[in-house]
């Protein structure tokens, strides 16, 4: 995001985006190294490393659900600042847990839980804080986060050459820094949404919000299916590249392409929103179709060229879906938006646990083709869920609001 693009936003928004970028860069310093650290530094097998990542993913699922449910009970300040502080403590403790494998795995579950708890709270805060420009703000934060991911992932290898512990410490420092920033930001702007459990109980009747399944259920199931499909990159494309004798850098190049497109293709994705996908729900369905088309490239052109084309199409699908879901839930969910954001995020994360195992089994049995077919089928299933969601919300204003209103100023390249 260049400096001229920031002028489209208030100083309040600019500060939040820059802080999000720094925080995402810090998070990206560590996660590419977990398997490497377990295998290289701790002397564990790759199956052990995979188990540790599953524990982290399960913690993330529970954290998403808990974060959404506790938003109005704890308030955004306690939830975000407290969660990120506990994440920071866990990250700083990781190097000292290396001599005890159970402690190391438990800490990964701890970090996954509390890191995910902050996610629906931050998304809800954006939706409540910037109601007039929430869709635009979600998109801007999404782009800023991906710039941070690109920077952090690139730096992680260099830091690991010096010390794995240094990567963990840097991530811990950025998490703590974002917690301090968020605390000061809330005090300066007076933007904290107070916890109102009594009012919530009176108006919603306990578990009544969960009965409103048409708001969140099919979005959650579609997200689960898309995450299963996206597992093709690690459990299909990655081993295929190695088995074909391509350099490991060829896999990294795919993700470099992903990061570059998210930054430079914003004007094009804005054009899609103004023409073909003119509402939240149509953006969701179009996203799943683009994912399916991208994964189908692996079957039509079973070579690296097909993977490059598949990454381009899948990235456009990602750019459509990433801001649309939280923006929709922020408007359709009203005061219960944090709960729905947590449910959709938590259920969707199940796909990140199921997908790699299912696709790993298929790849061992037949290579890339069956894995690609599964990715296509999962994306088509997601498109079906999104379409069903559209039918349920066809006549509601938050579903039909035109994209020209939602994204009035796209982020220029």
């Amino acid at each position: 995001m260049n400096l001229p693009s920031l002028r489209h936003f208030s100083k309040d928004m600019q500060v939040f985006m820059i802080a999000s970028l720094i925080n995402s860069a810090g998070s990206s310093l560590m996660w590419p190294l977990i398997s490497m650290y377990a295998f290289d530094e701790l002397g564990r097998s790759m199956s052990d490393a995979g188990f540790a990542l599953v524990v982290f993913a399960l913690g993330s699922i529970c954290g998403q659900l808990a974060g959404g449910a506790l938003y109005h009970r704890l308030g955004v300040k306690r939830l975000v600042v407290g969660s990120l502080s506990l994440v920071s403590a866990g990250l700083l403790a990781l190097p000292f847990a290396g001599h005890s494998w159970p402690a190391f795995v438990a800490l990964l579950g701890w970090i996954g839980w509390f890191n995910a708890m902050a996610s629906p709270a931050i998304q809800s805060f954006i939706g409540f804080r910037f109601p007039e420009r929430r869709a635009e703000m979600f998109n801007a934060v999404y782009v800023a986060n991906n710039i941070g991911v690109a920077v952090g992932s690139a730096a992680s290898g260099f830091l690991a050459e010096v010390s794995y512990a240094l990567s963990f410490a840097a991530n811990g420092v950025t998490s703590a820094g974002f917690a301090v920033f968020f605390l000061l930001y809330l005090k300066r702007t007076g933007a904290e949404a107070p916890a109102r459990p009594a009012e919530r109980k009176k108006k919603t009747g306990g578990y009544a919000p969960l009965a409103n399944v048409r708001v969140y259920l099919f979005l959650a199931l579609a997200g689960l299916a898309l995450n299963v499909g996206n597992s093709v990159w690690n459990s299909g494309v990655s081993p295929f590249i190695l088995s074909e004798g391509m350099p490991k850098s060829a896999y990294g190049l795919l993700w470099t392409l992903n990061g570059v497109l998210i930054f430079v293709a914003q004007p094009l994705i804005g054009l899609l929103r103004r023409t073909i996908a003119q509402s939240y729900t149509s953006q969701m369905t179009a996203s799943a179709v683009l994912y399916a088309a991208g994964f189908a490239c692996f079957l039509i052109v079973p070579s690296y060229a097909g993977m490059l084309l598949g990454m381009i199409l899948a990235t456009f699908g990602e750019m459509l879906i990433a801001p649309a879901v939280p923006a929709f839930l922020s408007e359709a969910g009203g005061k219960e938006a944090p709960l729905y954001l947590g449910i959709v995020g938590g259920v969707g994360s199940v796909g990140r646990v199921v997908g790699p195992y299912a696709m790993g089994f298929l790849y061992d049995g037949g290579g890339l083709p069956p894995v690609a077919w599964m990715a296509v089928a999962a994306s088509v299933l997601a498109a079906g869920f999104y379409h069903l969601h559209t039918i349920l919300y066809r006549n509601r204003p938050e579903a039909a609001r035109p994209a020209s209103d939602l994204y009035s100023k796209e982020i220029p390249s």
Side-chain angles (χ1 to χ4, degrees), residues 22-41:
I22 295 171
N23 184 54
S24 65
S27 297
S28 301
L29 289 172
M30 191 190 93
W31 305 125
L33 304 176
I34 287 294
S35 296
M36 191 184 302
Y37 177 75
F39 181 76
D40 183 34
E41 189 78 6

Side-chain angles (χ1 to χ4, degrees), residues 176-195:
F178 190 75
V180 172
F181 156 78
F182 201 80
L183 179 63
L184 297 176
Y185 183 87
L186 290 175
K187 287 183 176 180
R188 183 176 65 83
T189 60
E192 180 182 8

Side-chain angles (χ1 to χ4, degrees), residues 21-299:
L21 189 156
I22 295 171
N23 184 54
S24 65
S27 297
S28 301
L29 289 172
M30 191 190 93
W31 305 125
L33 304 176
I34 287 294
S35 296
M36 191 184 302
Y37 177 75
F39 181 76
D40 183 34
E41 189 78 6
L42 304 183
R44 310 298 299 195
S45 66
M46 286 305 293
S47 60
D48 285 342
F51 173 74
L53 289 174
V54 168
V55 171
F56 172 79
L58 291 174
S60 298
I61 294 169
C62 296
Q64 288 262 9
L65 296 172
L70 294 174
Y71 185 90
H72 287 297
R73 293 180 179 273
L74 299 180
V76 66
K77 180 171 70 175
R78 291 179 182 175
L79 195 53
V80 174
V81 175
S83 295
L84 291 179
S85 298
L86 291 171
V87 168
S88 178
L91 287 165
L92 294 174
L94 264 183
F96 302 101
H99 298 294
S100 171
W101 179 246
F104 179 80
V105 173
L107 272 176
L108 283 182
W110 169 284
I111 294 166
W113 181 298
F114 288 107
N115 191 58
M117 273 189 72
S119 179
I122 293 173
Q123 289 181 324
S124 299
F125 173 78
I126 293 173
F128 292 146
R129 173 63 177 161
F130 310 105
E132 298 302 320
R133 302 179 68 182
R134 59 163 61 102
E136 187 181 353
M137 188 65 179
F138 276 122
N139 192 54
V141 170
Y142 163 70
V143 176
N145 284 343
N146 275 278
I147 294 173
V149 168
V151 172
S153 298
S156 63
F158 296 102
L159 286 175
E161 290 291 338
V162 179
S163 169
Y164 286 108
L166 184 60
S167 297
F168 300 153
N171 192 356
V173 168
T174 55
S175 295
F178 190 75
V180 172
F181 156 78
F182 201 80
L183 179 63
L184 297 176
Y185 183 87
L186 290 175
K187 287 183 176 180
R188 183 176 65 83
T189 60
E192 180 182 8
R196 293 170 292 183
E199 180 184 348
R200 180 185 178 193
K201 183 176 181 180
K202 178 180 178 182
K203 290 188 176 182
T204 62
Y207 294 101
L210 295 177
N212 195 10
V213 293
R214 65 177 182 176
V215 175
Y216 67 89
L217 178 60
F218 297 110
L219 294 187
L221 294 175
L224 190 159
L226 280 185
N227 282 327
V228 168
N230 267 316
S231 300
V232 72
W233 298 109
N234 288 323
S235 303
V237 171
S238 177
F240 178 81
I241 285 176
L242 294 177
S243 67
E244 293 295 306
M246 302 180 202
K248 295 177 182 178
S249 58
Y251 183 67
L253 181 61
L254 292 173
W255 292 107
T256 300
L257 176 62
N258 172 266
V260 170
L261 281 174
I262 289 171
F263 181 54
V264 304
Q266 285 296 312
L268 184 54
I269 205 70
L271 179 63
L272 289 177
R273 289 184 181 121
R274 291 190 296 271
T275 55
I276 300 173
Q278 296 188 347
S279 67
Y280 290 134
T281 51
S282 61
Q283 287 167 29
M284 297 172 195
T285 305
S287 169
V289 171
L290 283 168
Y291 272 114
F295 298 145
C297 291
F298 305 157
L299 298 168

